[in-house]
Amino acid sequence: MLFDVDGTLIDSSYFHALAWWQAFRREGLDIQISAIHRCVGMGGDKLLDHLVPGCTPAMREDLKSAHGAVFSTFWPSLRPFAAARDLLAACSDAGLAVGLASSAQERDLDVTRGLLDAGQFIDAWTSSNDADEGKPAPDILLACLERLKLSPADVVFVGDAVWDIKAAAAIGVPAIALTCGGISEAELRDAGAVEVYDNPRHLLENLESSSIARLGTGGVRT
């Protein structure tokens, strides 16, 4: 099992959108926050390429630094979605290897992993340091698979953004989508999600009928 973190297990997507919005305003860029939210889940460089065409290397670094600084002020407000820890525990208890395929900054991921309080159920994780390209490129997923010593055929990925679904599709991994990150079911299905649930609790309640139950032995921890 591979899980995205922000917007999937942690209620943080809108905080990321607001942090980017404030970073843009610091640079004199007036970008609609709804447009920013739709790009949350992309790697930072890809988000900037999409929203600020022609962004210079110096401005890129300033914007990424500002986003990180602003987002850190929201750390005390972050919360896991209901049953996020229970979902990870259920997958682990079923004998499945569990990885967090996140492209977050390492210090942000350290915070969100702490909030999940699920270290005993997590076998591997990644941050933005582990991939050359962020989502929708599949680099983060591949890095997590390598750490788990699994192949794409062995896993299911759970995410909340169109970019998560596209990253999974690029390497043939079936993706379950959650709408708790703020993206509609229709958009997630159009992107290729095999199933869509409201949030981690909803997926947990339907675990036995989901694609996760049909993983077989490929993703079982050895």
Side-chain angles (χ1 to χ4, degrees), residues 21-73:
W21 180 81
Q22 291 193 27
F24 291 139
R25 291 300 295 267
R26 290 183 183 187
E27 291 291 328
L29 299 170
D30 189 8
I31 298 178
Q32 190 170 307
I33 197 166
S34 60
I36 299 170
H37 173 252
R38 297 182 69 79
C39 292
V40 169
M42 284 184 172
D45 286 329
K46 290 186 179 293
L47 180 147
L48 292 173
D49 288 340
H50 187 81
L51 293 172
V52 191
C55 184
T56 66
M59 180 180 284
R60 182 185 299 269
E61 291 309 309
D62 286 345
L63 287 168
K64 289 165 66 175
S65 177
H67 164 265
V70 174
F71 185 71
S72 69
T73 68

mmCIF file of all heavy atoms in Angstrom, residues 21-73:
data_model
loop_
_atom_site.group_PDB
_atom_site.id
_atom_site.type_symbol
_atom_site.label_atom_id
_atom_site.label_comp_id
_atom_site.label_asym_id
_atom_site.label_seq_id
_atom_site.Cartn_x
_atom_site.Cartn_y
_atom_site.Cartn_z
ATOM 1 N N TRP A 21 -0.313 31.099 -1.693
ATOM 2 C CA TRP A 21 -0.923 32.399 -1.998
ATOM 3 C C TRP A 21 -0.156 33.520 -1.303
ATOM 4 O O TRP A 21 0.148 34.548 -1.907
ATOM 5 C CB TRP A 21 -2.388 32.390 -1.546
ATOM 6 C CG TRP A 21 -3.120 33.661 -1.810
ATOM 7 C CD1 TRP A 21 -3.685 34.061 -3.000
ATOM 8 C CD2 TRP A 21 -3.388 34.712 -0.867
ATOM 9 N NE1 TRP A 21 -4.292 35.292 -2.845
ATOM 10 C CE2 TRP A 21 -4.124 35.710 -1.561
ATOM 11 C CE3 TRP A 21 -3.094 34.898 0.466
ATOM 12 C CZ2 TRP A 21 -4.546 36.890 -0.935
ATOM 13 C CZ3 TRP A 21 -3.520 36.061 1.096
ATOM 14 C CH2 TRP A 21 -4.229 37.028 0.399
ATOM 15 N N GLN A 22 0.175 33.309 -0.033
ATOM 16 C CA GLN A 22 0.936 34.339 0.678
ATOM 17 C C GLN A 22 2.336 34.489 0.106
ATOM 18 O O GLN A 22 2.868 35.607 0.009
ATOM 19 C CB GLN A 22 0.997 33.994 2.169
ATOM 20 C CG GLN A 22 -0.348 34.121 2.868
ATOM 21 C CD GLN A 22 -0.224 34.097 4.382
ATOM 22 O OE1 GLN A 22 0.791 34.469 4.942
ATOM 23 N NE2 GLN A 22 -1.271 33.630 5.050
ATOM 24 N N ALA A 23 2.947 33.377 -0.302
ATOM 25 C CA ALA A 23 4.275 33.448 -0.921
ATOM 26 C C ALA A 23 4.219 34.260 -2.213
ATOM 27 O O ALA A 23 5.091 35.105 -2.475
ATOM 28 C CB ALA A 23 4.796 32.040 -1.200
ATOM 29 N N PHE A 24 3.192 34.026 -3.011
ATOM 30 C CA PHE A 24 3.046 34.784 -4.262
ATOM 31 C C PHE A 24 2.838 36.268 -3.987
ATOM 32 O O PHE A 24 3.417 37.127 -4.665
ATOM 33 C CB PHE A 24 1.878 34.225 -5.083
ATOM 34 C CG PHE A 24 2.117 32.855 -5.653
ATOM 35 C CD1 PHE A 24 1.105 31.901 -5.642
ATOM 36 C CD2 PHE A 24 3.341 32.516 -6.210
ATOM 37 C CE1 PHE A 24 1.324 30.632 -6.165
ATOM 38 C CE2 PHE A 24 3.571 31.260 -6.739
ATOM 39 C CZ PHE A 24 2.550 30.310 -6.719
ATOM 40 N N ARG A 25 2.016 36.574 -3.006
ATOM 41 C CA ARG A 25 1.759 37.978 -2.691
ATOM 42 C C ARG A 25 3.034 38.689 -2.253
ATOM 43 O O ARG A 25 3.239 39.870 -2.565
ATOM 44 C CB ARG A 25 0.682 38.092 -1.592
ATOM 45 C CG ARG A 25 -0.711 37.671 -2.029
ATOM 46 C CD ARG A 25 -1.241 38.511 -3.185
ATOM 47 N NE ARG A 25 -1.440 39.895 -2.806
ATOM 48 C CZ ARG A 25 -2.585 40.393 -2.350
ATOM 49 N NH1 ARG A 25 -3.633 39.607 -2.213
ATOM 50 N NH2 ARG A 25 -2.682 41.667 -2.044
ATOM 51 N N ARG A 26 3.907 37.987 -1.543
ATOM 52 C CA ARG A 26 5.178 38.584 -1.127
ATOM 53 C C ARG A 26 6.035 38.985 -2.325
ATOM 54 O O ARG A 26 6.853 39.896 -2.240
ATOM 55 C CB ARG A 26 5.959 37.600 -0.239
ATOM 56 C CG ARG A 26 5.342 37.375 1.133
ATOM 57 C CD ARG A 26 6.215 36.444 1.967
ATOM 58 N NE ARG A 26 5.604 36.147 3.257
ATOM 59 C CZ ARG A 26 6.201 35.472 4.226
ATOM 60 N NH1 ARG A 26 7.432 35.012 4.044
ATOM 61 N NH2 ARG A 26 5.582 35.242 5.372
ATOM 62 N N GLU A 27 5.850 38.267 -3.434
ATOM 63 C CA GLU A 27 6.600 38.567 -4.651
ATOM 64 C C GLU A 27 5.805 39.466 -5.600
ATOM 65 O O GLU A 27 6.203 39.659 -6.744
ATOM 66 C CB GLU A 27 6.964 37.263 -5.370
ATOM 67 C CG GLU A 27 7.992 36.419 -4.639
ATOM 68 C CD GLU A 27 9.373 37.048 -4.632
ATOM 69 O OE1 GLU A 27 9.721 37.744 -5.602
ATOM 70 O OE2 GLU A 27 10.111 36.828 -3.644
ATOM 71 N N GLY A 28 4.674 39.979 -5.121
ATOM 72 C CA GLY A 28 3.862 40.863 -5.945
ATOM 73 C C GLY A 28 3.039 40.144 -6.995
ATOM 74 O O GLY A 28 2.593 40.767 -7.962
ATOM 75 N N LEU A 29 2.809 38.850 -6.805
ATOM 76 C CA LEU A 29 2.034 38.061 -7.764
ATOM 77 C C LEU A 29 0.638 37.837 -7.207
ATOM 78 O O LEU A 29 0.475 37.312 -6.103
ATOM 79 C CB LEU A 29 2.713 36.708 -8.011
ATOM 80 C CG LEU A 29 4.120 36.767 -8.592
ATOM 81 C CD1 LEU A 29 4.770 35.381 -8.558
ATOM 82 C CD2 LEU A 29 4.096 37.300 -10.010
ATOM 83 N N ASP A 30 -0.377 38.230 -7.962
ATOM 84 C CA ASP A 30 -1.766 38.092 -7.524
ATOM 85 C C ASP A 30 -2.388 36.911 -8.249
ATOM 86 O O ASP A 30 -2.903 37.046 -9.354
ATOM 87 C CB ASP A 30 -2.524 39.380 -7.820
ATOM 88 C CG ASP A 30 -3.914 39.391 -7.183
ATOM 89 O OD1 ASP A 30 -4.194 38.467 -6.396
ATOM 90 O OD2 ASP A 30 -4.693 40.308 -7.475
ATOM 91 N N ILE A 31 -2.307 35.744 -7.641
ATOM 92 C CA ILE A 31 -2.803 34.511 -8.253
ATOM 93 C C ILE A 31 -3.996 34.018 -7.452
ATOM 94 O O ILE A 31 -3.942 33.909 -6.226
ATOM 95 C CB ILE A 31 -1.702 33.441 -8.310
ATOM 96 C CG1 ILE A 31 -0.543 33.950 -9.186
ATOM 97 C CG2 ILE A 31 -2.242 32.125 -8.852
ATOM 98 C CD1 ILE A 31 0.618 33.002 -9.278
ATOM 99 N N GLN A 32 -5.069 33.728 -8.148
ATOM 100 C CA GLN A 32 -6.317 33.316 -7.505
ATOM 101 C C GLN A 32 -6.100 32.059 -6.677
ATOM 102 O O GLN A 32 -5.525 31.068 -7.157
ATOM 103 C CB GLN A 32 -7.367 33.070 -8.586
ATOM 104 C CG GLN A 32 -8.773 32.880 -8.082
ATOM 105 C CD GLN A 32 -9.758 32.893 -9.234
ATOM 106 O OE1 GLN A 32 -9.772 33.823 -10.043
ATOM 107 N NE2 GLN A 32 -10.566 31.850 -9.307
ATOM 108 N N ILE A 33 -6.565 32.072 -5.447
ATOM 109 C CA ILE A 33 -6.271 30.956 -4.542
ATOM 110 C C ILE A 33 -6.942 29.664 -5.003
ATOM 111 O O ILE A 33 -6.411 28.569 -4.777
ATOM 112 C CB ILE A 33 -6.668 31.319 -3.092
ATOM 113 C CG1 ILE A 33 -5.993 30.357 -2.109
ATOM 114 C CG2 ILE A 33 -8.185 31.336 -2.918
ATOM 115 C CD1 ILE A 33 -6.037 30.822 -0.675
ATOM 116 N N SER A 34 -8.059 29.754 -5.697
ATOM 117 C CA SER A 34 -8.695 28.536 -6.204
ATOM 118 C C SER A 34 -7.813 27.865 -7.260
ATOM 119 O O SER A 34 -7.757 26.630 -7.339
ATOM 120 C CB SER A 34 -10.074 28.840 -6.788
ATOM 121 O OG SER A 34 -9.973 29.752 -7.866
ATOM 122 N N ALA A 35 -7.112 28.668 -8.060
ATOM 123 C CA ALA A 35 -6.183 28.113 -9.053
ATOM 124 C C ALA A 35 -5.013 27.426 -8.361
ATOM 125 O O ALA A 35 -4.526 26.382 -8.814
ATOM 126 C CB ALA A 35 -5.683 29.215 -9.978
ATOM 127 N N ILE A 36 -4.567 28.016 -7.251
ATOM 128 C CA ILE A 36 -3.474 27.414 -6.493
ATOM 129 C C ILE A 36 -3.920 26.076 -5.921
ATOM 130 O O ILE A 36 -3.200 25.073 -6.014
ATOM 131 C CB ILE A 36 -3.017 28.355 -5.363
ATOM 132 C CG1 ILE A 36 -2.498 29.675 -5.945
ATOM 133 C CG2 ILE A 36 -1.943 27.682 -4.515
ATOM 134 C CD1 ILE A 36 -2.260 30.754 -4.897
ATOM 135 N N HIS A 37 -5.122 26.048 -5.332
ATOM 136 C CA HIS A 37 -5.605 24.806 -4.722
ATOM 137 C C HIS A 37 -5.644 23.669 -5.722
ATOM 138 O O HIS A 37 -5.312 22.520 -5.397
ATOM 139 C CB HIS A 37 -6.998 25.002 -4.117
ATOM 140 C CG HIS A 37 -7.603 23.721 -3.635
ATOM 141 N ND1 HIS A 37 -8.655 23.116 -4.283
ATOM 142 C CD2 HIS A 37 -7.278 22.924 -2.586
ATOM 143 C CE1 HIS A 37 -8.962 21.996 -3.645
ATOM 144 N NE2 HIS A 37 -8.154 21.858 -2.621
ATOM 145 N N ARG A 38 -6.008 23.951 -6.951
ATOM 146 C CA ARG A 38 -6.108 22.913 -7.958
ATOM 147 C C ARG A 38 -4.736 22.339 -8.323
ATOM 148 O O ARG A 38 -4.657 21.258 -8.905
ATOM 149 C CB ARG A 38 -6.818 23.438 -9.202
ATOM 150 C CG ARG A 38 -8.258 23.857 -8.940
ATOM 151 C CD ARG A 38 -8.932 24.316 -10.219
ATOM 152 N NE ARG A 38 -9.133 23.195 -11.125
ATOM 153 C CZ ARG A 38 -10.111 22.307 -11.017
ATOM 154 N NH1 ARG A 38 -10.982 22.398 -10.016
ATOM 155 N NH2 ARG A 38 -10.226 21.331 -11.887
ATOM 156 N N CYS A 39 -3.677 23.073 -7.993
ATOM 157 C CA CYS A 39 -2.319 22.598 -8.272
ATOM 158 C C CYS A 39 -1.652 21.954 -7.061
ATOM 159 O O CYS A 39 -0.564 21.387 -7.193
ATOM 160 C CB CYS A 39 -1.445 23.754 -8.770
ATOM 161 S SG CYS A 39 -1.919 24.380 -10.383
ATOM 162 N N VAL A 40 -2.279 22.070 -5.894
ATOM 163 C CA VAL A 40 -1.716 21.438 -4.704
ATOM 164 C C VAL A 40 -1.679 19.926 -4.932
ATOM 165 O O VAL A 40 -2.653 19.331 -5.398
ATOM 166 C CB VAL A 40 -2.539 21.786 -3.446
ATOM 167 C CG1 VAL A 40 -2.125 20.919 -2.270
ATOM 168 C CG2 VAL A 40 -2.374 23.256 -3.106
ATOM 169 N N GLY A 41 -0.568 19.324 -4.599
ATOM 170 C CA GLY A 41 -0.344 17.911 -4.902
ATOM 171 C C GLY A 41 0.703 17.731 -5.965
ATOM 172 O O GLY A 41 1.323 16.672 -6.067
ATOM 173 N N MET A 42 0.896 18.746 -6.802
ATOM 174 C CA MET A 42 2.041 18.753 -7.707
ATOM 175 C C MET A 42 3.316 18.958 -6.908
ATOM 176 O O MET A 42 3.299 19.515 -5.809
ATOM 177 C CB MET A 42 1.940 19.926 -8.693
ATOM 178 C CG MET A 42 0.982 19.786 -9.821
ATOM 179 S SD MET A 42 1.129 21.251 -10.897
ATOM 180 C CE MET A 42 0.105 20.767 -12.273
ATOM 181 N N GLY A 43 4.439 18.544 -7.458
ATOM 182 C CA GLY A 43 5.702 18.954 -6.882
ATOM 183 C C GLY A 43 5.824 20.464 -6.974
ATOM 184 O O GLY A 43 5.233 21.101 -7.855
ATOM 185 N N GLY A 44 6.582 21.072 -6.049
ATOM 186 C CA GLY A 44 6.682 22.522 -5.999
ATOM 187 C C GLY A 44 7.146 23.143 -7.297
ATOM 188 O O GLY A 44 6.610 24.161 -7.751
ATOM 189 N N ASP A 45 8.148 22.536 -7.943
ATOM 190 C CA ASP A 45 8.646 23.091 -9.200
ATOM 191 C C ASP A 45 7.580 23.048 -10.281
ATOM 192 O O ASP A 45 7.433 23.992 -11.062
ATOM 193 C CB ASP A 45 9.898 22.333 -9.662
ATOM 194 C CG ASP A 45 11.127 22.685 -8.840
ATOM 195 O OD1 ASP A 45 11.217 23.836 -8.366
ATOM 196 O OD2 ASP A 45 11.993 21.815 -8.665
ATOM 197 N N LYS A 46 6.837 21.954 -10.341
ATOM 198 C CA LYS A 46 5.797 21.836 -11.361
ATOM 199 C C LYS A 46 4.652 22.809 -11.087
ATOM 200 O O LYS A 46 4.065 23.372 -12.016
ATOM 201 C CB LYS A 46 5.297 20.391 -11.446
ATOM 202 C CG LYS A 46 6.341 19.445 -12.034
ATOM 203 C CD LYS A 46 5.773 18.066 -12.243
ATOM 204 C CE LYS A 46 6.826 17.148 -12.856
ATOM 205 N NZ LYS A 46 7.181 17.529 -14.224
ATOM 206 N N LEU A 47 4.316 22.990 -9.812
ATOM 207 C CA LEU A 47 3.288 23.972 -9.455
ATOM 208 C C LEU A 47 3.689 25.365 -9.934
ATOM 209 O O LEU A 47 2.875 26.096 -10.522
ATOM 210 C CB LEU A 47 3.054 23.947 -7.947
ATOM 211 C CG LEU A 47 2.015 24.913 -7.368
ATOM 212 C CD1 LEU A 47 1.323 24.273 -6.157
ATOM 213 C CD2 LEU A 47 2.644 26.236 -6.932
ATOM 214 N N LEU A 48 4.940 25.720 -9.722
ATOM 215 C CA LEU A 48 5.413 27.045 -10.141
ATOM 216 C C LEU A 48 5.454 27.152 -11.660
ATOM 217 O O LEU A 48 5.118 28.200 -12.224
ATOM 218 C CB LEU A 48 6.789 27.328 -9.540
ATOM 219 C CG LEU A 48 6.788 27.514 -8.018
ATOM 220 C CD1 LEU A 48 8.209 27.630 -7.489
ATOM 221 C CD2 LEU A 48 5.988 28.755 -7.630
ATOM 222 N N ASP A 49 5.869 26.096 -12.342
ATOM 223 C CA ASP A 49 5.861 26.122 -13.810
ATOM 224 C C ASP A 49 4.455 26.374 -14.338
ATOM 225 O O ASP A 49 4.268 27.077 -15.340
ATOM 226 C CB ASP A 49 6.380 24.797 -14.367
ATOM 227 C CG ASP A 49 7.883 24.619 -14.173
ATOM 228 O OD1 ASP A 49 8.576 25.638 -13.965
ATOM 229 O OD2 ASP A 49 8.348 23.465 -14.226
ATOM 230 N N HIS A 50 3.470 25.792 -13.654
ATOM 231 C CA HIS A 50 2.081 25.911 -14.105
ATOM 232 C C HIS A 50 1.498 27.290 -13.804
ATOM 233 O O HIS A 50 0.804 27.867 -14.641
ATOM 234 C CB HIS A 50 1.235 24.830 -13.429
ATOM 235 C CG HIS A 50 -0.163 24.746 -13.930
ATOM 236 N ND1 HIS A 50 -0.503 24.083 -15.098
ATOM 237 C CD2 HIS A 50 -1.331 25.231 -13.435
ATOM 238 C CE1 HIS A 50 -1.804 24.175 -15.300
ATOM 239 N NE2 HIS A 50 -2.333 24.869 -14.297
ATOM 240 N N LEU A 51 1.794 27.805 -12.617
ATOM 241 C CA LEU A 51 1.153 29.046 -12.174
ATOM 242 C C LEU A 51 1.958 30.300 -12.501
ATOM 243 O O LEU A 51 1.382 31.391 -12.606
ATOM 244 C CB LEU A 51 0.897 28.994 -10.662
ATOM 245 C CG LEU A 51 -0.132 27.957 -10.194
ATOM 246 C CD1 LEU A 51 -0.147 27.889 -8.668
ATOM 247 C CD2 LEU A 51 -1.522 28.289 -10.732
ATOM 248 N N VAL A 52 3.267 30.156 -12.618
ATOM 249 C CA VAL A 52 4.131 31.321 -12.880
ATOM 250 C C VAL A 52 5.039 31.007 -14.066
ATOM 251 O O VAL A 52 6.249 30.788 -13.904
ATOM 252 C CB VAL A 52 4.973 31.692 -11.641
ATOM 253 C CG1 VAL A 52 5.642 33.052 -11.840
ATOM 254 C CG2 VAL A 52 4.136 31.692 -10.377
ATOM 255 N N PRO A 53 4.484 30.942 -15.277
ATOM 256 C CA PRO A 53 5.320 30.659 -16.445
ATOM 257 C C PRO A 53 6.450 31.686 -16.553
ATOM 258 O O PRO A 53 6.247 32.876 -16.338
ATOM 259 C CB PRO A 53 4.340 30.803 -17.621
ATOM 260 C CG PRO A 53 2.990 30.577 -17.024
ATOM 261 C CD PRO A 53 3.064 31.139 -15.641
ATOM 262 N N GLY A 54 7.628 31.201 -16.862
ATOM 263 C CA GLY A 54 8.764 32.103 -16.978
ATOM 264 C C GLY A 54 9.383 32.480 -15.653
ATOM 265 O O GLY A 54 10.220 33.392 -15.594
ATOM 266 N N CYS A 55 8.995 31.806 -14.583
ATOM 267 C CA CYS A 55 9.556 32.080 -13.259
ATOM 268 C C CYS A 55 11.075 31.875 -13.298
ATOM 269 O O CYS A 55 11.563 30.824 -13.722
ATOM 270 C CB CYS A 55 8.930 31.132 -12.245
ATOM 271 S SG CYS A 55 9.419 31.394 -10.539
ATOM 272 N N THR A 56 11.826 32.874 -12.873
ATOM 273 C CA THR A 56 13.280 32.787 -12.887
ATOM 274 C C THR A 56 13.763 31.855 -11.767
ATOM 275 O O THR A 56 13.054 31.655 -10.775
ATOM 276 C CB THR A 56 13.924 34.159 -12.692
ATOM 277 O OG1 THR A 56 13.621 34.631 -11.366
ATOM 278 C CG2 THR A 56 13.412 35.164 -13.721
ATOM 279 N N PRO A 57 14.962 31.282 -11.898
ATOM 280 C CA PRO A 57 15.476 30.417 -10.830
ATOM 281 C C PRO A 57 15.506 31.108 -9.469
ATOM 282 O O PRO A 57 15.176 30.496 -8.448
ATOM 283 C CB PRO A 57 16.883 30.065 -11.318
ATOM 284 C CG PRO A 57 16.786 30.137 -12.813
ATOM 285 C CD PRO A 57 15.849 31.279 -13.078
ATOM 286 N N ALA A 58 15.892 32.391 -9.454
ATOM 287 C CA ALA A 58 15.965 33.114 -8.178
ATOM 288 C C ALA A 58 14.577 33.280 -7.568
ATOM 289 O O ALA A 58 14.383 33.064 -6.359
ATOM 290 C CB ALA A 58 16.622 34.479 -8.373
ATOM 291 N N MET A 59 13.599 33.655 -8.401
ATOM 292 C CA MET A 59 12.240 33.803 -7.889
ATOM 293 C C MET A 59 11.680 32.452 -7.443
ATOM 294 O O MET A 59 10.987 32.366 -6.415
ATOM 295 C CB MET A 59 11.322 34.420 -8.943
ATOM 296 C CG MET A 59 9.884 34.587 -8.465
ATOM 297 S SD MET A 59 8.783 35.309 -9.713
ATOM 298 C CE MET A 59 9.295 37.036 -9.624
ATOM 299 N N ARG A 60 11.997 31.408 -8.182
ATOM 300 C CA ARG A 60 11.534 30.072 -7.825
ATOM 301 C C ARG A 60 11.988 29.705 -6.408
ATOM 302 O O ARG A 60 11.199 29.236 -5.587
ATOM 303 C CB ARG A 60 12.067 29.058 -8.842
ATOM 304 C CG ARG A 60 11.628 27.628 -8.608
ATOM 305 C CD ARG A 60 12.320 26.706 -9.609
ATOM 306 N NE ARG A 60 11.957 27.077 -10.966
ATOM 307 C CZ ARG A 60 10.922 26.574 -11.638
ATOM 308 N NH1 ARG A 60 10.143 25.676 -11.048
ATOM 309 N NH2 ARG A 60 10.656 26.947 -12.862
ATOM 310 N N GLU A 61 13.265 29.927 -6.117
ATOM 311 C CA GLU A 61 13.780 29.589 -4.793
ATOM 312 C C GLU A 61 13.163 30.474 -3.714
ATOM 313 O O GLU A 61 12.871 30.013 -2.614
ATOM 314 C CB GLU A 61 15.300 29.699 -4.785
ATOM 315 C CG GLU A 61 15.995 28.638 -5.613
ATOM 316 C CD GLU A 61 15.523 27.226 -5.292
ATOM 317 O OE1 GLU A 61 15.505 26.865 -4.084
ATOM 318 O OE2 GLU A 61 15.142 26.498 -6.228
ATOM 319 N N ASP A 62 12.960 31.759 -4.036
ATOM 320 C CA ASP A 62 12.328 32.659 -3.064
ATOM 321 C C ASP A 62 10.899 32.214 -2.758
ATOM 322 O O ASP A 62 10.472 32.226 -1.591
ATOM 323 C CB ASP A 62 12.320 34.093 -3.602
ATOM 324 C CG ASP A 62 13.694 34.740 -3.564
ATOM 325 O OD1 ASP A 62 14.589 34.207 -2.884
ATOM 326 O OD2 ASP A 62 13.868 35.790 -4.232
ATOM 327 N N LEU A 63 10.164 31.814 -3.795
ATOM 328 C CA LEU A 63 8.782 31.399 -3.608
ATOM 329 C C LEU A 63 8.695 30.095 -2.808
ATOM 330 O O LEU A 63 7.857 29.960 -1.904
ATOM 331 C CB LEU A 63 8.086 31.233 -4.960
ATOM 332 C CG LEU A 63 7.750 32.525 -5.695
ATOM 333 C CD1 LEU A 63 7.347 32.226 -7.141
ATOM 334 C CD2 LEU A 63 6.633 33.278 -4.984
ATOM 335 N N LYS A 64 9.551 29.152 -3.122
ATOM 336 C CA LYS A 64 9.543 27.886 -2.389
ATOM 337 C C LYS A 64 9.927 28.096 -0.927
ATOM 338 O O LYS A 64 9.326 27.500 -0.021
ATOM 339 C CB LYS A 64 10.487 26.892 -3.068
ATOM 340 C CG LYS A 64 9.949 26.381 -4.397
ATOM 341 C CD LYS A 64 11.004 25.690 -5.225
ATOM 342 C CE LYS A 64 11.499 24.417 -4.613
ATOM 343 N NZ LYS A 64 12.457 23.707 -5.513
ATOM 344 N N SER A 65 10.903 28.963 -0.701
ATOM 345 C CA SER A 65 11.309 29.265 0.671
ATOM 346 C C SER A 65 10.185 29.947 1.441
ATOM 347 O O SER A 65 9.914 29.614 2.605
ATOM 348 C CB SER A 65 12.560 30.141 0.660
ATOM 349 O OG SER A 65 12.937 30.493 1.967
ATOM 350 N N ALA A 66 9.517 30.900 0.786
ATOM 351 C CA ALA A 66 8.423 31.611 1.439
ATOM 352 C C ALA A 66 7.262 30.666 1.737
ATOM 353 O O ALA A 66 6.653 30.724 2.817
ATOM 354 C CB ALA A 66 7.953 32.774 0.567
ATOM 355 N N HIS A 67 6.947 29.787 0.790
ATOM 356 C CA HIS A 67 5.881 28.812 1.026
ATOM 357 C C HIS A 67 6.202 27.959 2.243
ATOM 358 O O HIS A 67 5.349 27.757 3.127
ATOM 359 C CB HIS A 67 5.684 27.910 -0.197
ATOM 360 C CG HIS A 67 4.888 26.674 0.102
ATOM 361 N ND1 HIS A 67 5.491 25.474 0.421
ATOM 362 C CD2 HIS A 67 3.555 26.449 0.177
ATOM 363 C CE1 HIS A 67 4.563 24.576 0.659
ATOM 364 N NE2 HIS A 67 3.384 25.131 0.520
ATOM 365 N N GLY A 68 7.443 27.469 2.321
ATOM 366 C CA GLY A 68 7.827 26.635 3.457
ATOM 367 C C GLY A 68 7.735 27.379 4.775
ATOM 368 O O GLY A 68 7.264 26.829 5.785
ATOM 369 N N ALA A 69 8.160 28.642 4.767
ATOM 370 C CA ALA A 69 8.123 29.438 6.001
ATOM 371 C C ALA A 69 6.691 29.683 6.452
ATOM 372 O O ALA A 69 6.369 29.569 7.648
ATOM 373 C CB ALA A 69 8.848 30.760 5.785
ATOM 374 N N VAL A 70 5.815 30.030 5.506
ATOM 375 C CA VAL A 70 4.417 30.292 5.864
ATOM 376 C C VAL A 70 3.733 28.997 6.305
ATOM 377 O O VAL A 70 3.013 28.965 7.309
ATOM 378 C CB VAL A 70 3.653 30.928 4.686
ATOM 379 C CG1 VAL A 70 2.172 31.053 5.018
ATOM 380 C CG2 VAL A 70 4.229 32.294 4.339
ATOM 381 N N PHE A 71 3.977 27.913 5.551
ATOM 382 C CA PHE A 71 3.301 26.654 5.897
ATOM 383 C C PHE A 71 3.690 26.195 7.297
ATOM 384 O O PHE A 71 2.853 25.644 8.026
ATOM 385 C CB PHE A 71 3.620 25.570 4.868
ATOM 386 C CG PHE A 71 2.867 24.296 5.105
ATOM 387 C CD1 PHE A 71 1.499 24.231 4.870
ATOM 388 C CD2 PHE A 71 3.510 23.166 5.594
ATOM 389 C CE1 PHE A 71 0.784 23.062 5.107
ATOM 390 C CE2 PHE A 71 2.807 21.999 5.836
ATOM 391 C CZ PHE A 71 1.442 21.947 5.596
ATOM 392 N N SER A 72 4.921 26.430 7.704
ATOM 393 C CA SER A 72 5.350 26.004 9.043
ATOM 394 C C SER A 72 4.557 26.697 10.142
ATOM 395 O O SER A 72 4.404 26.150 11.240
ATOM 396 C CB SER A 72 6.849 26.239 9.234
ATOM 397 O OG SER A 72 7.159 27.619 9.294
ATOM 398 N N THR A 73 4.033 27.887 9.854
ATOM 399 C CA THR A 73 3.229 28.577 10.862
ATOM 400 C C THR A 73 1.875 27.888 11.059
ATOM 401 O O THR A 73 1.197 28.135 12.067
ATOM 402 C CB THR A 73 2.992 30.056 10.503
ATOM 403 O OG1 THR A 73 2.144 30.154 9.353
ATOM 404 C CG2 THR A 73 4.304 30.773 10.222
#
